Structure formats: structure tokens, C-alpha cells
């Protein structure tokens, strides 16, 4: 992702009350007031990463395997979705993009006990995505996920934050709002 895109995420993180989040090819760091930087080997980070891996293969199985019965999901636009709606959104993403590489780069535990995980992704726009035709363009995309777990280690809620402006520009869509899939 370009420096401009990283600045966008730093501003977004600040607006979420997260403090500072940054990643570069050589260094990853974060701070969040009273929060603490986590190892990427932390079981919560590994569990959410495993969930995301499975979601690219079988969204319904991933949601069933890794989430609590009352899972709450909020998209980049702030819209809340139930489990069937979340599964449909993951399917839309999977139909539109092929993953070349996805890796967590930094994780932080926040004051409320949730964790923030930043992923760098390299994806190919190989299919139609929410009204935008496949461009066959490859792009680097940084994503933020704020994740909470219940006392059994299941994902109880999470929010995702993607730079849809960057996404739209790189796949040739003139309408980043359309890509958000607003209801």
C-alpha cells in the first residue's frame, strides 16, 4: 500500500481511539494508550487468522467453527450484519478476489479487551465484485480488524476496516460507495 494509504489507516485508527498503528516492510508497531502490542503468535491472533483462512475456502463453515452463537459483525461502513448476511458478504469478496498473499503484520490488545489486527494482503480482482466487473488487476491492501472473543475463545464480535477508495481506484471502479455494499 502506498504511503497515502497508510496515512489513511493511521487517521482511521486515530478516529477509532486506537492511537497509532503503522506497518512498513521492515517494522510494525502499535500503541493504544493503555493497550499493549501483541505477538503475532498470540492465540487470539492465530485464531482469527485461522478463521479468515477458512473463510476464503468455506465462509459458512468458518463462521460456524470460529464464532459465538450471537456473533456481531460491522463492516467498514459501520453497518451491522447477522451471520447469514456476513456469510454472503464473505462470498461476494471471495467471488471478486483471489488471494495471492495475506499476512498479519501487527496486533494490539485494546483497553476494552478486544484486539486490533492489521493484515497486509496482495489480491487479484479476478471476478465481479458488487457491481464492478473483474479488472484482473493485482493490488496491495491493508485491512484492520477489531476483534472480541467470548470466554470460550470464540469470536463474539468484529469490525473490518478496508480502504475502499484505494480498492476502487485499483480495480477501475468509479464508485467506492457501491463497493461498500450499502443496504
Amino acid at each position: 500500500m502506498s504511503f497515502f494509504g497508510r496515512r489513511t489507516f493511521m487517521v482511521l485508527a486515530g478516529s477509532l481511539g486506537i492511537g497509532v498503528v503503522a506497518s512498513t516492510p521492515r517494522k510494525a508497531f502499535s500503541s493504544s494508550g493503555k493497550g499493549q502490542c501483541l505477538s503475532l503468535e498470540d492465540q487470539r491472533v492465530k485464531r482469527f487468522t485461522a478463521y479468515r483462512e477458512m473463510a476464503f475456502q468455506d465462509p459458512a463453515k468458518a463462521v460456524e467453527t470460529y464464532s459465538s452463537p450471537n456473533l456481531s459483525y460491522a463492516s467498514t461502513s459501520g453497518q451491522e450484519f447477522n451471520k447469514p448476511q456476513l456469510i454472503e458478504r464473505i462470498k461476494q469478496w471471495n467471488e471478486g478476489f483471489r488471494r495471492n498473499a495475506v499476512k498479519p503484520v501487527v496486533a494490539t490488545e485494546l483497553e476494552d479487551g478486544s484486539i486490533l489486527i492489521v493484515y497486509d494482503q496482495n489480491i487479484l480482482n479476478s471476478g465481479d465484485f458488487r457491481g464492478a466487473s473483474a479488472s484482473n488487476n493485482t493490488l496491495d491492501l491493508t485491512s484492520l480488524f477489531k476483534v472480541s472473543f467470548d470466554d470460550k475463545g470464540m469470536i463474539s464480535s468484529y469490525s473490518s476496516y478496508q480502504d475502499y477508495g484505494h480498492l476502487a481506484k485499483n480495480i477501475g471502479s468509479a464508485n467506492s460507495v457501491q463497493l461498500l455494499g450499502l443496504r
Side-chain angles (χ1 to χ4, degrees), residues 65-107:
T65 301
Y66 289 98
S67 70
S68 67
N70 57 348
L71 174 69
S72 169
Y73 168 73
S75 70
T76 299
S77 65
Q79 296 178 97
E80 297 213 9
F81 294 91
N82 61 29
K83 282 185 175 186
Q85 293 165 330
L86 169 61
I87 292 166
E88 179 57 33
R89 288 182 74 80
I90 295 171
K91 286 179 182 177
Q92 291 170 359
W93 185 268
N94 291 349
E95 290 167 2
F97 299 99
R98 186 183 81 212
R99 298 168 14 138
N100 295 326
V102 176
K103 65 178 183 170
V105 292
V106 67

Side-chain angles (χ1 to χ4, degrees), residues 6-26:
R6 292 207 188 280
R7 288 179 77 191
T8 300
F9 273 106
M10 290 175 69
V11 170
L12 174 61
S15 70
L16 294 170
I18 294 168
V20 177
V21 174
S23 64
T24 67
R26 292 189 195 109

Side-chain angles (χ1 to χ4, degrees), residues 9-176:
F9 273 106
M10 290 175 69
V11 170
L12 174 61
S15 70
L16 294 170
I18 294 168
V20 177
V21 174
S23 64
T24 67
R26 292 189 195 109
K27 183 184 226 180
F29 66 90
S30 64
S31 71
S32 61
K34 296 179 183 174
Q36 68 180 43
C37 194
L38 295 174
S39 164
L40 297 178
E41 296 301 313
D42 182 277
Q43 289 304 309
R44 295 166 294 177
V45 175
K46 290 175 79 171
R47 187 159 181 80
F48 190 73
T49 299
Y51 160 75
R52 292 194 68 226
E53 288 290 326
M54 184 183 282
F56 278 101
Q57 304 303 316
D58 186 341
K61 184 176 179 182
V63 169
E64 181 64 29
T65 301
Y66 289 98
S67 70
S68 67
N70 57 348
L71 174 69
S72 169
Y73 168 73
S75 70
T76 299
S77 65
Q79 296 178 97
E80 297 213 9
F81 294 91
N82 61 29
K83 282 185 175 186
Q85 293 165 330
L86 169 61
I87 292 166
E88 179 57 33
R89 288 182 74 80
I90 295 171
K91 286 179 182 177
Q92 291 170 359
W93 185 268
N94 291 349
E95 290 167 2
F97 299 99
R98 186 183 81 212
R99 298 168 14 138
N100 295 326
V102 176
K103 65 178 183 170
V105 292
V106 67
T108 300
E109 184 169 13
L110 304 175
E111 291 179 38
D112 64 2
S114 64
I115 62 173
L116 174 78
I117 310 169
V118 179
Y119 290 89
D120 277 346
Q121 305 180 83
N122 179 273
I123 56 177
L124 171 69
N125 179 217
S126 57
D128 295 347
F129 179 65
R130 298 185 186 149
S133 298
S135 67
N136 292 313
N137 290 343
T138 299
L139 69 138
D140 292 320
L141 186 66
T142 300
S143 305
L144 300 174
F145 292 89
K146 183 179 179 195
V147 187
S148 296
F149 295 88
D150 65 15
D151 57 355
K152 295 178 182 173
M154 304 298 276
I155 301 166
S156 59
S157 68
Y158 78 96
S159 303
S160 66
Y161 306 94
Q162 318 267 355
D163 185 347
Y164 274 85
H166 175 71
L167 179 72
K169 177 181 172 189
N170 281 281
I171 68 171
S173 174
N175 189 347
S176 62

